[in-house]
Amino acid sequence: MMEKNLMALMKQIPKIKSGNRFILGLDGLSRSGKTTLGDRLSEHLTEAGMPFHLFHIDDHIVEREKRYATGHDQWYEYYHLQWDIDWLSRNFFEQLKGLNQVSLPFYDNESDTHSIQDIDLPDACLIIIEGVFLQRREWRSFFDMVVYVDCSRETRYLRESDAAKRHMDKLRNRYWKAEEFYLRTEKPMGKADLVIEG
């Protein structure tokens, strides 16, 4: 299935012309298979000699105090506060087509801090962004193409760690409610250019 999905995706990625960048989003809910798809796609692109850079949106979340115990519902914290949506719009997404270098805060879970890293981008390349909620209204227009990785909640739950499964209230109230909000308000499967099974 993964090979079939990769072949379908590779056929839809255009040849990158000189001075041009193509922004590809790999969207889907938690544990749907986005990261695996991104890793396998990276292998194929490397073999094909196509310049690219893969970003994981979860590398750029905010500190815990900004997304936990904020007074909002848990699902709201996850959907609206997990990332600095406006900052990423202005300093990341808006810059991808024009700048040869972007500076991003990379989050370290153990220390709950960020380190700023400068990412160099070739003049002509495929830029892949992998993560959940990518087709939120603040970000959807920045993508040239979005793939939605569809996977049932039952299958995704089986992929959760044992530690996560011991905290069902958090899954239900934080993650699943936010996912339901995303599916209901943004309808990502309908907006995606390609839907594949995760």
Side-chain angles (χ1 to χ4, degrees), residues 79-109:
Y79 188 79
H80 292 287
L81 306 180
Q82 184 89 351
W83 302 266
D84 187 333
I85 297 165
D86 182 60
W87 190 95
L88 286 170
S89 296
R90 289 182 288 104
N91 298 284
F92 175 54
F93 286 104
E94 287 182 7
Q95 308 302 327
L96 288 175
K97 291 276 188 170
L99 293 185
N100 290 330
Q101 186 181 81
V102 291
S103 297
L104 290 172
F106 280 74
Y107 180 73
D108 179 74
N109 188 56

Side-chain angles (χ1 to χ4, degrees), residues 8 13 26 31 39 44 49 55 84 111 117 141 162-163 166 177 193 198:
I13 296 173
L26 303 182
R31 304 286 183 263
D39 291 343
H44 277 258
F55 291 95
D84 187 333
S111 65
Q117 296 181 29
S141 64
D162 290 338
R166 287 194 291 270
K177 281 188 178 181
D193 300 288

